Amino acid sequence: MNENSVPRREPEQQQRRAEMRVRPTGPIVPSANVSGHALMCVVAIMSFLACLTLGGVSMVRATAQSWQSQISREITIQIKPDDNLDMDKALADARDLALTFSGTTGGKIIDRAATARLLEPWLGEGLDLDELPVPRLIVITIDENNPPDFAAMRKALTETIPQAFLDDHRTWVDRLVAMANTTAMIGSGVLALVFSAMVLTVVFATRGALSGNRHIVEVLHFVGAEAGFVASEFQKHFLRISLKGAGAGGLLAALSFAMASFWQSQTLATPESDQATALFGRFAIGYTGYLGIFAIIIVIALLTTLTARLTVMRTIYEIDLIRSDPGRTDTYQS
């Protein structure tokens, strides 16, 4: 053997070894065939709508509770003017008498300037209270958890100052509680409808995406892959799709609420912000709202994954039935 021929074989052997190397394996479910772009868009849209509805219901409930709390923690004492009545002394006496009851935390007399401002929308500017018999008001702050005895307070005020009238806002509180409960029920019903529509849409979209790729399931099943293995591969693929879609929709909804809250904080004391605050309250859903958005994302991802697994298992079951009885082909394909 010629020694010069040995070095020539080494490059040839290295080339053959390079050719014999195993190429990297690809995914069992090729993303090029099961793209899922339409499903991702559907999931994102339904996730966005569900998160918006959840945030809106949370805002309505928070606003109603705020209104109810503001009304229920204050009572008003009204003193009507009289010729023989020293109004300033009567106001001070009524305030001091109300503060002697357990459950009251503070009292404020509405002065002449504030009273005139309250009457400006009806009587105009430059109002002279001495020329008109205008009642004066006292606002008493109470403890919501331990309110005072309104009947005893009303009796004591009437006996001491006959011109005094106590308004505990009970009528307004009852109406507001009824309105808040009705609004919360309507919002919960709308949320249930949107969530039901989201569930049905995601389920049918997932089944539609899988029905167009039935041949992949058949090939994998015919080459000997177990049903559980095929289902797990498909559910992994659709889990990634659903997480991307639901995450995008939930993130967009969270950003919408964050931007609305930022706009409201930057436009305080403007007509637009005041009107929006009066109608909808604060555009802040709090950490509970963001936790709800995260929960919706998880629910959509689990729902899509479960639907994909059940659909694949049902497809494999139909394939086995068709193989055992070819006469059923038309029945299951229809």
Side-chain angles (χ1 to χ4, degrees):
M1 180 179 297
N2 188 359
E3 295 180 357
N4 297 330
S5 62
V6 176
R8 297 176 182 175
R9 292 181 179 178
E10 291 180 356
E12 295 177 357
Q13 292 177 356
Q14 293 177 357
Q15 184 177 1
R16 291 178 181 177
R17 291 175 181 175
E19 293 177 354
M20 293 175 62
R21 291 176 182 173
V22 180
R23 292 179 298 176
T25 58
I28 300 298
V29 183
S31 58
N33 292 338
V34 189
S35 59
H37 292 303
L39 175 62
M40 188 182 302
C41 292
V42 170
V43 170
I45 292 172
M46 297 309 298
S47 174
F48 176 72
L49 294 177
C51 292
L52 278 186
T53 307
L54 176 64
V57 172
S58 300
M59 287 171 48
V60 169
R61 288 180 175 176
T63 303
Q65 291 177 357
S66 177
W67 290 346
Q68 179 181 346
S69 177
Q70 290 176 1
I71 293 180
S72 62
R73 65 168 174 256
E74 289 183 351
I75 59 176
T76 304
I77 300 175
Q78 180 183 153
I79 299 181
K80 299 179 181 179
D82 191 273
D83 295 337
N84 300 322
L85 179 68
D86 185 355
M87 181 61 72
D88 294 333
K89 184 177 183 301
L91 290 171
D93 293 341
R95 181 193 59 187
D96 296 338
L97 178 59
L99 293 179
T100 59
F101 285 82
S102 176
T104 57
T105 59
K108 178 183 178 182
I109 299 174
I110 306 300
D111 57 18
R112 290 175 173 270
T115 304
R117 287 195 298 268
L118 291 175
L119 297 175
E120 278 184 7
W122 293 273
L123 301 180
E125 298 180 358
L127 178 64
D128 187 2
L129 297 181
D130 295 331
E131 297 178 357
L132 296 175
V134 177
R136 298 290 300 277
L137 301 177
I138 305 171
V139 177
I140 304 296
T141 307
I142 64 175
D143 185 2
E144 299 178 56
N145 300 322
N146 184 27
D149 187 350
F150 296 121
M153 184 184 298
R154 183 177 290 107
K155 181 179 179 181
L157 285 171
T158 304
E159 293 176 352
T160 305
I161 308 172
Q163 295 83 1
F165 173 76
L166 176 64
D167 185 6
D168 58 3
H169 305 161
R170 187 169 301 173
T171 302
W172 294 103
V173 171
D174 294 340
R175 292 180 180 178
L176 187 58
V177 169
M179 184 196 71
N181 293 333
T182 303
T183 305
M185 290 178 60
I186 294 175
S188 300
V190 173
L191 179 61
L193 290 176
V194 172
F195 195 79
S196 300
M198 178 196 69
V199 170
L200 294 176
T201 303
V202 170
V203 168
F204 285 112
T206 304
R207 294 182 63 180
L210 278 171
S211 64
N213 297 275
R214 181 188 177 96
H215 59 283
I216 299 178
V217 180
E218 294 177 351
V219 171
L220 291 175
H221 187 55
F222 287 154
V223 298
E226 296 181 356
F229 174 77
V230 178
S232 63
E233 292 298 320
F234 271 90
Q235 74 180 25
K236 291 178 185 176
H237 179 78
F238 281 92
L239 176 61
R240 290 191 293 268
I241 292 177
S242 61
L243 283 177
K244 291 179 182 178
L251 180 61
L252 184 59
L255 288 177
S256 299
F257 286 112
M259 291 177 62
S261 178
F262 177 77
W263 169 82
Q264 194 175 44
S265 63
Q266 296 297 317
T267 57
L268 294 176
T270 60
E272 296 82 2
S273 179
D274 291 342
Q275 291 295 330
T277 304
L279 290 175
F280 306 105
R282 298 288 301 173
F283 288 110
I285 58 177
Y287 69 94
T288 56
Y290 291 106
L291 286 177
I293 291 176
F294 179 75
I296 288 178
I297 294 174
I298 298 300
V299 169
I300 292 177
L302 293 177
L303 181 65
T304 305
T305 304
L306 180 61
T307 303
R309 182 177 183 84
L310 294 178
T311 304
V312 171
M313 298 296 290
R314 181 173 179 271
T315 302
I316 294 176
Y317 176 74
E318 293 176 357
I319 292 173
D320 291 337
L321 287 179
I322 292 173
R323 291 176 64 184
S324 62
D325 187 3
R328 301 182 180 182
T329 303
D330 296 337
T331 301
Y332 288 100
Q333 286 183 348
S334 59

